[in-house]
C-alpha cells in the first residue's frame, strides 16, 4: 500500500497559501440560537432543484419535508426550524443570483424539539434501504459541491468499487469545519464510515487528513474500530489536496482520467463532515437540518465554529459571531481559494456552505494587472497539468473552441494559476467565463 | 448591521506576494553588485556607458509603451544588461543607440513586455556588433585613473572613431582563440581581466544569480543545463586534444557565459515555460556556445547562442506541453 508507506503522500504541483486556520482551529463547536427567519433555496445541491410542496401560511415543524426531489440526482429539502411559511419567492442566493426559496418565519416560542423522521436504527437495514433513508434525509456532500450522497452510494452494478476514501484534508485556508468535526465528533465520523462501507460493500477505507491537524488525526486514530479495515493517512499540507482527483492520487496512487469519475478507478470519495452527518441522521432520526459552519477571517469580531440551521441568513450568522469589524471589505461564502464573494448579507447558509470568511481592506487590496511574462509559474501550479498560460491567452481573445481542445473541461477552477500569477491575470475567472461561453454555444446549437 | 461597501471579486481571493514588478526589481537589485564592480574596474567610462544604455532603453519604453510601463523595471533591466555586454571604451552614443534599438525594435514593435521573441538587450548588442564591429572588439585594461576615458567615450555620433589611445588588452577568449595563450583560472573567477563591463567576475555573477534562484525569480534549470553542456562538450574535446582545445573550466569562466547564462538566457519572456523545455533550451545554448567558440569565426558565441535558441522557444514550448492529469498512467483497479 503505497499511500501509507510514505508519510508525505501527496500529488504533484499545487500551491501553499498561508493556512490562517489558527483563528478557529482550537474553538470548540457550539450551537447558534435560532434566527427569526430561515430562507431555504430550492437549488442547494448539484443536480435538478427541488420542488416546493408548501404554500405561504402553512405551519411547518422542524424536520418536515418542504420540497420534493425532482429526479435521481436531486434531494428533498426539509424545514430547518418550526414556524410559518411566509413566502415562496426569489431570494438572493450565495452564488450571486436569485433562486426560488421557501421562507419560514421561525416561531419564537417553539422549543424546536421534534419527532423522528427516519428510523433511528440502521443496523437492521439492507444497503438499499440505507441508501433510501439517506436520500429521504436530503443528504449531500458538505464539502462544498453538495453532490447528493445517495448517488455516490449507488454506483452502477458493473462498476467495481474497492475502496472508500474520506476527505479530511480541508485544504482551503481559514476553514476548520472538517477539522472540528473530526476532533469534536470522531465517533460520528467512524459510525458514518461504517454505514457507508456497508452501503458500498467495500472492505477498505482510507481517511486522508493533512498533517497540519495532528489533533484530528489522533482523535480519529483513537476511535478506529477493530473489525474494519480503516486507516488514517496523514497527507502533505498543500492546496488543493482535498480535490477529489488529487486525494485519490495521494491515497491510492490512481489517476482519474479526463471526463471520468472516481468510481471509474474503483473509489468513492466523501468528505468527513458529510460522513458524520450520515451517522447523525441515524442517531437523531432527523434529516439534514443543520451543519457546522466556520465563521472566520480578520473581519469577524469573534471567529467561531457554529452549528447553524440551514437557511440562516449571513446577517444573522455574522451577528452571532459579534458582527463585523470596521474595515471588513469582502465576505466570502466558502474558502478564500474557491469561495464566492457575497454582495448581500441576505443570502442564506446552504447545505454545502463550509464557511464564511470575512477579509478586511488589507487582505483584499486590489493589485495591478501586468502583461503575461511567460514565467511558467502557472504551469508548475496546475494540479491537472493544464497550460493556464496558453489557455489564458486564448480566453482573452475568445478562442473558446480551441480552449476545449486544450482540455478546458478538466480545469476544476481551483484557482492555483491565478494565485501564483505575478502579473495578477485573473486566469481562473477567465476559464470560468470561457466554460459558460462554451455552454451557451452548445445550448444554442 | 448594514452591509458595508462590500467588495465582490472572483475567486481566488488570495494571491502570492511576488508580482511582476517585484521580480523585475529583484533582478535589478541583484545586478547592482555587478554594476558596482564594473564601475570599479573600468572607472568613469563604465559609468557613462551604463547611463547611456539605460537612457536609451527607457526612452522608447516611455514614449511608445503603455502608461506606467517604465515602472515595471523591465526596460531598466534591458539597459543595464546591454551595458554589461559592451566594452568599456565604446562611445556612449553607440550604447544609447543599441539600447534604443533593442527596446524599440526588439520589444515594443512586438507589443511590449511579454510579447518579444528575442532578448532585447542581446538584440541591441547584435545590432551594435553588426554596425560597429571595431568598437565592439576593442578591450581596454581595467583600472587606471578614475577620470580617464577608456576610449572615445564621448565621440560624436557617426564620427569615425580613431584607433583608441588607451592601452588595450586582448580578452582571455581572444588570447585563447587567436594566440593560444591561456589566462589564470583564478583571475577569471575573481574577474580582474580584460573584457566587457560585466563579463568579469564569475563568482559575483553566480552569487547574485543564486539569490534570484533562491527567491524563485530565476529558473535555475537554464544556467545549470548550459553549464553542464558546456563543461561536458568542451571536456570531451579537451580530453581528445588538450593542446588544441581549452580546458572546460576556462570555457565556463571566460567571456560572457556566466552573465549570459544566469541573467540573459533566463529572461522569462524569451525562455520556455515548461521545465522540460528549460532543460532543452539550456542544452541547446551550451552546445551552440561550444561550437561557435571552438570552430566559429568569433571568439565569443554566447550572444548568438541565446538568440538562436530564443527563436526556437515557441517550438520547444509546443514539444514539451504538459500531459493532462490521468492520461499517462493506465488505471488499475485492484481486485
Amino acid at each position: 500500500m503505497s499511500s501509507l508507506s510514505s508519510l508525505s503522500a501527496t500529488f504533484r504541483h499545487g500551491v501553499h497559501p498561508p493556512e490562517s486556520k489558527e483563528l478557529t482551529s482550537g474553538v470548540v463547536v457550539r450551537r447558534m440560537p435560532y434566527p427569526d427567519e430561515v430562507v431555504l433555496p430550492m437549488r442547494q445541491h448539484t443536480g435538478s432543484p427541488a420542488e416546493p410542496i408548501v404554500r405561504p401560511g402553512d405551519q411547518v415543524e422542524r424536520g418536515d419535508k418542504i420540497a420534493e426531489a425532482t429526479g435521481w440526482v436531486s434531494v428533498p429539502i426539509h424545514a430547518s426550524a418550526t414556524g410559518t411559511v411566509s413566502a415562496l419567492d426569489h431570494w438572493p442566493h450565495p452564488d450571486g443570483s436569485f433562486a426560488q426559496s421557501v421562507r419560514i418565519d421561525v416561531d419564537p416560542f417553539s422549543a424546536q424539539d421534534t419527532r423522528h423522521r427516519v428510523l433511528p436504527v440502521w443496523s437492521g437495514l439492507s444497503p438499499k434501504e440505507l441508501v433510501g433513508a439517506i436520500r429521504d434525509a436530503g443528504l449531500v456532500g458538505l464539502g462544498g459541491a453538495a453532490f447528493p450522497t445517495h448517488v455516490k452510494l449507488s454506483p452502477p452494478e458493473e462498476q467495481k468499487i474497492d475502496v472508500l476514501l474520506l476527505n479530511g484534508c480541508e485544504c482551503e485556508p481559514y476553514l476548520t469545519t472538517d477539522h472540528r468535526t473530526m476532533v469534536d465528533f470522531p465517533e460520528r465520523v467512524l459510525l458514518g464510515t461504517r454505514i457507508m462501507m456497508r452501503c458500498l460493500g467495500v472492505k477498505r477505507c482510507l481517511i486522508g487528513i493533512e498533517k497540519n491537524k495532528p489533533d484530528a488525526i489522533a482523535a480519529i486514530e483513537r476511535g478506529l474500530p477493530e473489525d474494519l479495515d480503516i486507516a488514517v493517512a496523514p497527507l502533505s499540507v498543500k492546496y488543493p489536496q482535498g480535490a477529489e482527483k488529487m486525494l485519490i492520487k495521494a491515497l491510492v496512487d490512481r489517476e482519474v482520467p479526463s471526463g471520468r469519475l472516481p468510481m471509474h478507478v474503483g473509489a468513492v470519495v466523501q468528505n468527513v463532515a458529510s460522513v458524520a452527518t450520515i451517522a447523525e441522521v441515524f442517531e437523531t432520526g432527523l434529516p439534514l437540518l443543520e451543519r457546522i459552519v466556520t465563521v472566520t477571517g480578520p473581519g469577524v469580531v469573534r471567529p467561531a465554529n457554529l452549528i447553524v440551521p440551514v437557511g440562516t441568513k449571513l446577517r444573522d450568522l455574522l451577528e452571532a459571531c459579534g458582527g463585523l469589524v470596521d474595515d471588513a471589505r469582502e465576505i466570502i461564502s466558502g474558502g478564500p481559494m474557491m469561495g464566492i464573494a457575497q454582495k448581500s448579507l441576505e443570502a442564506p447558509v446552504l447545505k454545502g456552505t463550509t464557511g464564511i470568511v470575512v477579509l478586511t481592506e488589507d487582505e483584499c487590496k486590489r493589485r495591478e494587472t501586468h502583461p503575461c511574462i511567460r514565467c511558467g509559474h502557472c504551469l508548475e501550479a496546475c494540479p491537472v497539468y493544464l497550460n493556464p498560460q496558453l489557455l489564458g491567452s486564448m480566453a482573452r481573445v475568445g478562442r473558446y473552441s480551441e480552449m476545449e481542445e486544450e482540455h478546458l473541461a478538466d480545469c476544476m477552477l481551483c484557482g492555483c494559476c491565478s494565485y501564483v500569477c505575478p502579473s495578477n491575470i485573473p486566469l481562473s475567472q477567465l476559464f470560468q467565463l470561457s466554460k459558460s461561453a462554451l455552454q451557451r454555444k452548445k445550448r444554442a446549437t | 448591521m448594514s452591509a458595508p461597501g462590500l467588495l465582490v471579486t472572483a475567486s481566488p481571493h488570495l494571491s502570492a506576494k511576488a508580482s511582476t514588478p517585484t521580480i523585475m526589481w529583484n533582478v535589478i537589485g541583484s545586478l547592482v553588485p555587478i554594476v558596482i564592480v564594473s564601475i570599479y574596474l573600468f572607472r568613469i567610462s563604465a559609468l557613462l556607458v551604463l547611463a547611456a544604455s539605460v537612457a536609451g532603453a527607457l526612452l522608447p519604453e516611455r514614449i511608445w509603451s503603455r502608461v506606467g510601463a517604465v515602472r515595471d523595471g523591465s526596460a531598466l533591466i534591458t539597459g543595464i544588461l546591454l551595458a554589461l555586454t559592451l566594452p568599456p571604451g565604446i562611445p556612449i552614443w553607440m550604447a544609447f543607440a543599441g539600447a534604443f534599438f533593442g527596446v524599440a525594435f526588439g520589444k515594443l514593435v512586438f507589443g511590449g513586455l511579454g510579447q518579444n521573441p528575442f532578448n532585447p538587450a542581446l538584440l541591441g548588442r547584435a545590432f551594435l556588433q553588426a554596425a560597429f564591429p571595431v568598437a565592439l572588439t576593442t578591450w581596454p585594461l581595467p583600472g587606471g585613473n578614475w577620470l580617464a576615458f577608456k576610449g572615445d567615450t564621448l565621440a560624436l555620433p557617426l564620427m569615425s572613431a580613431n584607433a583608441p589611445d588607451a592601452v588595450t588588452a586582448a580578452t582571455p577568449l581572444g588570447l585563447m582563440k587567436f594566440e593560444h595563450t591561456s589566462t589564470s583560472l583564478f583571475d577569471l573567477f575573481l574577474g580582474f581581466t580584460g573584457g566587457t563591463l560585466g563579463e568579469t567576475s564569475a563568482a559575483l555573477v553566480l552569487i547574485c544569480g543564486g539569490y534570484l534562484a533562491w527567491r524563485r525569480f530565476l529558473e535555475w534549470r537554464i544556467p545549470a543545463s548550459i553549464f553542464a553542456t558546456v563543461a561536458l562538450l568542451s571536456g570531451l574535446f579537451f580530453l581528445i586534444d588538450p593542446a588544441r582545445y581549452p580546458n572546460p573550466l576556462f570555457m565556463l569562466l571566460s567571456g560572457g557565459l556566466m552573465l549570459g547564462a544566469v541573467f540573459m538566457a533566463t529572461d522569462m519572456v524569451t525562455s520556455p515555460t515548461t521545465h522540460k523545455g528549460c532543460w532543452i533550451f539550456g542544452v541547446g545554448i551550451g552546445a551552440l556556445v561550444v561550437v561557435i567558440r571552438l570552430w566559429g569565426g568569433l571568439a565569443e558565441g554566447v550572444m548568438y547562442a541565446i538568440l538562436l535558441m530564443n527563436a526556437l522557444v515557441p517550438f520547444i514550448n509546443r514539444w514539451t506541453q504538459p500531459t493532462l492529469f490521468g492520461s499517462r498512467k493506465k488505471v488499475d483497479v485492484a481486485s
Side-chain angles (χ1 to χ4, degrees), chain A residues 153-176:
Chain A
L153 291 178
S154 320
E157 298 253 327
E158 67 277 9
Q159 185 63 59
K160 176 111 185 110
I161 304 292
D162 69 334
V163 65
L164 170 65
L165 304 177
L166 296 196
N167 190 350
C169 297
E170 202 157 51
C171 55
E172 274 273 8
Y174 285 106
L175 303 185
T176 55

Side-chain angles (χ1 to χ4, degrees), chain B:
Chain B
M1 186 174 53
S2 68
L6 285 182
L7 186 67
V8 179
T9 57
S11 64
H13 306 279
L14 301 175
S15 62
K17 287 201 179 66
S19 72
T20 296
T22 317
I23 296 175
M24 298 293 176
W25 284 99
N26 267 279
V27 173
I28 293 165
S30 67
L31 283 170
V32 164
I34 300 171
V35 165
I36 290 173
V37 169
S38 79
I39 291 174
Y40 171 76
L41 289 175
F42 298 107
R43 312 289 147 105
I44 187 153
S45 288
L47 189 67
L48 291 173
V49 169
L50 271 158
S53 174
V54 165
L58 291 182
L59 190 65
E61 181 94 346
R62 178 75 184 78
I63 300 172
W64 291 306
S65 195
R66 62 189 203 291
V67 176
V70 168
R71 265 181 293 133
D72 70 30
S74 61
L76 184 52
I77 295 181
T78 301
I80 297 174
L81 282 180
L82 173 66
L84 291 178
T85 65
L86 296 176
I90 191 172
I92 59 171
W93 74 268
M94 288 185 190
F96 181 90
F100 193 98
F101 180 91
V103 171
F105 290 92
K107 176 169 149 189
L108 296 178
V109 292
F110 293 102
L113 178 61
Q115 302 297 321
N116 48 303
F118 298 103
N119 184 316
L122 288 177
L123 211 67
R125 197 200 134 102
F127 163 74
L128 290 177
Q129 177 109 40
F132 314 106
V134 177
L136 265 278
T137 45
T138 305
W139 311 104
L141 275 173
N145 187 338
W146 274 94
L147 293 176
F149 297 134
K150 299 281 179 197
D152 278 342
T153 302
L154 297 179
L156 289 173
L158 301 180
M159 305 299 276
S160 61
N162 295 323
D165 301 332
V167 190
T168 61
T171 63
L173 271 174
L175 285 172
M176 169 58 74
K177 186 157 192 104
F178 304 117
E179 290 162 42
H180 291 278
T181 38
S182 189
T183 311
S184 143
L185 290 176
F186 195 65
D187 280 352
L188 281 172
F189 190 63
L190 293 180
F192 299 102
T193 57
T196 70
L197 286 181
E199 72 181 37
T200 47
S201 168
L204 192 61
V205 172
L206 281 179
I207 291 168
C208 294
Y211 162 79
L212 287 178
W214 170 67
R215 293 287 308 270
R216 303 219 330 137
F217 295 153
L218 180 149
E219 181 52 73
W220 60 270
R221 289 168 184 85
I222 294 173
S225 53
I226 294 176
F227 295 150
T229 310
V230 168
L232 275 175
L233 271 183
S234 59
L236 192 69
F237 290 111
F238 182 66
L239 283 181
I240 294 170
D241 187 355
R244 204 165 138 223
Y245 296 110
N247 112 26
L249 258 182
F250 173 82
M251 287 286 276
L252 282 177
L253 296 175
S254 61
L257 185 69
M258 282 290 158
L259 191 75
V262 173
F263 283 100
M264 296 188 206
T266 55
D267 172 18
M268 287 172 172
V269 176
T270 55
S271 61
T273 50
T274 58
H275 284 172
K276 220 190 289 168
C278 287
W279 290 113
I280 296 173
F281 182 71
V283 168
I285 291 175
L288 283 170
V289 166
V290 173
V291 167
I292 296 173
R293 280 187 181 177
L294 297 188
W295 298 291
L298 300 165
E300 175 57 302
V302 174
M303 171 181 77
Y304 289 120
I306 296 175
L307 286 173
L308 279 168
M309 289 309 290
N310 280 166
L312 289 183
V313 163
F315 300 100
I316 296 175
N317 278 337
R318 180 163 296 196
W319 295 330
T320 57
Q321 281 301 296
T323 318
L324 185 66
F325 182 91
S327 55
R328 276 180 288 200
K329 222 165 120 180
K330 269 201 66 99
V331 178
D332 54 328
V333 181
S335 83

Side-chain angles (χ1 to χ4, degrees), chain A residues 44-46 75 134 138-152 178 196 244 269-275 277-278 288 291 350-354:
Chain A
Q44 34 179 318
H45 47 260
T46 304
V75 287
I134 285 170
L139 285 188
V140 297
L142 301 189
F147 190 78
T149 303
H150 67 273
V151 181
K152 269 191 193 178
D178 293 346
M196 278 195 86
E244 239 170 23
V269 180
Q270 187 66 298
N271 145 285
V272 288
S274 329
V275 175
T277 312
I278 295 177
L288 176 52
R291 62 156 299 145
L350 307 180
K351 290 178 181 179
T353 305
T354 47

Side-chain angles (χ1 to χ4, degrees), chain A residues 225-245:
Chain A
E226 298 276 321
D227 59 327
L228 289 176
D229 179 9
I230 305 178
V232 174
L235 301 175
S236 302
V237 182
K238 187 162 75 171
Y239 178 87
Q241 182 63 76
E244 239 170 23
K245 287 184 173 186

